[in-house]
Amino acid sequence: MGLLSLDSCTIKFGGLTAVENLTIDIAGNDLAGLIGPNGAGKTTVFNMITGVYRPTSGNIAFNTRRIVGLKPHEIAKLGIARTFQNIRLFPSLTVYETVQAAFNKNIEYGFMQAVGRVGSYQREENKIASNVMEILEIFSLTDVKDEIAVSLPYGSQRRVEIVRALATRPKLLLLDEPAAGMNSSEKIALVKLIKSIKDRFDISILIIEHDMRVIMNICERIMVLNYGIMIAQGTPLEIRNNPSVIEAYLGEQV
């Protein structure tokens, strides 16, 4: 069993089966892609993993622990973080404050210590401030740390969202169409960024993406959904030459 395991997961909404009998294994330090046509069930898979939806049947385990039925914040605390297809940043927070809020997930001081600003409160706050500046430096965001996050260019907003997710110190990062809305140069920078994240933070990444140049240049392994059913998985080379994938999604060899 890998870091994340979906075992025969099915989810139905009324008479509609959105995902059927899906089995996925994500290993430690894995970088895998999930692709398929619009409506194939990709984001539904992310929503099942993160506790937004509960599968109708099947099991999901993270670090061997069953997580079906846990709330999203409980799953996040175990070490799963995600970004969204449509960027969701706090509208009034600066870049610094956005990342700082994510680091607060791991605070250990109590309410009374926070009110009185005594005990471990100041030590942890100083540590968080240091961690925020360190991660902003890694991702070249220190120059805009005092800017309102939603006022930044689109590519920078996406970077802030990824950094916010990393600040929760996940073992698994789920990226939902991170290249959506980006221009060519931003996509090139994104590919480099995602590769560096995997190596620097030693985490696993599962990415949904429609841009085949991005997905083929990033992923070591790709899984393909069509109408909620896994129709293929393999290396980028195997996927680009798979007749079933070409017919259902790619339309031509990539």
Side-chain angles (χ1 to χ4, degrees):
M1 182 179 289
L3 178 68
L4 174 75
S5 296
L6 280 71
D7 183 14
S8 303
C9 284
T10 294
I11 183 166
K12 298 181 179 181
F13 301 101
L16 172 68
T17 301
V19 175
E20 183 174 358
N21 198 34
L22 181 66
T23 295
I24 290 176
D25 280 300
I26 303 296
N29 201 230
D30 205 355
L31 208 174
L34 185 62
I35 67 172
N38 287 330
K42 302 181 299 298
T43 297
T44 299
V45 173
F46 274 19
N47 286 334
M48 286 195 295
I49 294 169
T50 55
V52 177
Y53 298 152
R54 180 170 183 154
T56 308
S57 62
N59 184 49
I60 304 175
F62 183 67
N63 260 347
T64 71
R65 174 179 175 176
R66 177 180 165 87
I67 61 173
V68 172
L70 296 184
K71 298 184 183 301
H73 72 271
E74 294 172 325
I75 291 172
K77 195 166 185 177
L78 292 176
I80 298 178
R82 73 176 292 182
T83 65
F84 296 86
Q85 181 179 350
N86 298 315
I87 296 175
R88 300 182 185 181
L89 296 174
F90 302 114
S92 61
L93 297 189
T94 66
V95 171
Y96 181 95
E97 291 166 340
T98 298
V99 179
Q100 181 187 42
F103 273 111
N104 285 337
K105 178 182 82 72
N106 298 304
I107 59 174
E108 297 180 358
Y109 56 76
F111 174 75
M112 294 307 298
Q113 290 173 313
V115 170
R117 302 195 171 201
V118 295
S120 62
Y121 169 83
Q122 199 58 56
R123 289 194 302 274
E124 287 205 46
E125 286 298 303
N126 290 341
K127 183 179 179 181
I128 287 172
S130 175
N131 288 337
V132 172
M133 292 307 298
E134 180 181 5
I135 200 167
L136 291 179
E137 177 70 28
I138 289 171
F139 292 97
S140 303
L141 289 168
T142 51
D143 290 346
V144 295
K145 67 181 179 66
D146 296 320
E147 301 288 334
I148 298 297
V150 295
S151 71
L152 297 178
Y154 189 89
S156 296
Q157 288 187 46
R158 183 65 76 182
R159 197 149 31 109
V160 171
E161 188 184 40
I162 293 173
V163 171
R164 179 181 62 184
L166 288 171
T168 67
R169 298 172 181 169
K171 300 179 183 71
L172 173 65
L173 177 61
L174 307 177
L175 300 176
D176 194 347
E177 297 204 33
M182 287 187 171
N183 60 38
S184 297
S185 61
E186 288 172 333
K187 288 177 181 178
I188 291 170
L190 177 71
V191 168
K192 293 179 180 177
L193 175 65
I194 293 173
K195 287 180 177 178
S196 70
I197 287 171
K198 175 179 175 289
D199 295 335
R200 181 184 286 269
F201 294 91
D202 191 29
I203 63 174
S204 298
I205 299 173
L206 178 58
I207 177 172
I208 293 171
E209 184 53 61
H210 277 294
D211 190 309
M212 287 300 98
R213 288 186 181 88
V214 171
I215 206 81
M216 294 291 178
N217 279 310
I218 289 178
C219 295
E220 300 153 355
R221 180 167 58 93
I222 299 171
M223 297 164 284
V224 187
L225 283 183
N226 192 34
Y227 295 109
I229 298 171
M230 179 89 75
I231 62 169
Q233 58 179 313
T235 66
L237 180 61
E238 290 168 340
I239 293 301
R240 68 162 56 101
N241 292 314
N242 186 301
S244 298
V245 178
I246 294 170
E247 180 182 359
Y249 181 47
L250 300 179
E252 59 183 15
Q253 289 187 328
V254 179

